[in-house]
Amino acid sequence: MRSTFDWKDYELIDCSDGERLERWNNIILIRPDPQVVWKTPKNNPLWKKADAVYHRSKSGGGAWEVKTKLPPYWSIDYKDLTFNIKTMGFKHTGIFPEQAVNWDEIRTLIREAGRPVKVLNLFAYTGGATVACLKEGASVVHVDASKGMVAWAKENAASSSVADKSVRWIVDDCIKFVQREIRRGNRYDIIIMDPPSYGRGPGGEVWKLEDEVYSFVELCSRLLYSGSIAVLINSYTTGLSPSVMQYILGSVVVPRFGGKVSSSEIGLPVTQSKMILPCGASAFWKK
């Protein structure tokens, strides 16, 4: 499992009985996590001193119980990157801190390329990977179907002092955008994607990631060329294991462009137990 120990402003303090105890800068949150099936003792006193707790509803969704007045948003730093955080519906805060290990790896690839690098970030959310790539000097096309998420990504770019870098902010369906880029003859050095478990296709049809990911990777591979550097697929879908994504990249990309594929779980170190909490799965193709 891959993880980073370089966070200073984020800390997974403890996890037990379906919940995480986390520090986001100086704010303590408790959030649900279905991966946490063990019921170890909640001995850390901060379990009883959280600023806010997210409670799931039996009927779906849930709500935050705010125990201490929270600011509308606050900031956390990861190395030279700054992200704006706030409590959102469905337990989220706007950043997945376990992704920092992928940001670091992509930054290394850009740095080692020794030339201009063009990145396509699909399902790009609030722009963690976008900001990391911009910081390393790459040009980025950031695509997400949510206007609000793209606006948030722009704020993160401004907070990280990269808003003036080479970036295109696109609010669009990712499939439609990739199809247009193919027709335009555009090519990319690095493609990053973090598709949702469920979504809607170009015709409004509901699609399930396990059923559609192979064809989508095939589509995206048409934006690669002989000089392309990497493709990163990340997933939080339970049924899509790292090995499955590795096989998809290996069967679609390697025959055309060579290179090697690897995959792994990504996780977060837990201060209390010294374990690593599994948080998602990633697969990399690298030339």
Side-chain angles (χ1 to χ4, degrees), residues 51 96 107 111 125 195:
D51 296 294
F96 293 87
R107 290 185 71 168
R111 190 164 53 247
Y125 195 50

Side-chain angles (χ1 to χ4, degrees), residues 120-191:
L120 175 60
N121 189 11
L122 300 167
F123 310 98
Y125 195 50
T126 59
T130 294
V131 170
C133 292
L134 290 172
K135 203 72 170 183
E136 211 56 53
S139 62
V140 182
V141 177
H142 173 111
V143 187
D144 197 278
S146 169
K147 184 177 180 180
M149 292 301 104
V150 173
W152 195 339
K154 290 180 181 179
E155 293 170 4
N156 285 334
S159 295
S160 295
S161 302
V162 293
D164 60 339
K165 303 299 182 182
S166 178
V167 57
R168 291 174 59 206
W169 306 104
I170 307 293
V171 179
D172 200 357
D173 176 274
C174 288
I175 297 174
K176 287 182 178 179
F177 180 80
V178 169
Q179 290 169 337
R180 285 200 303 275
E181 288 292 90
I182 292 169
R183 291 195 295 269
R184 293 171 183 140
N186 286 333
R187 298 293 180 265
Y188 291 87
D189 297 293
I190 296 175
I191 298 176

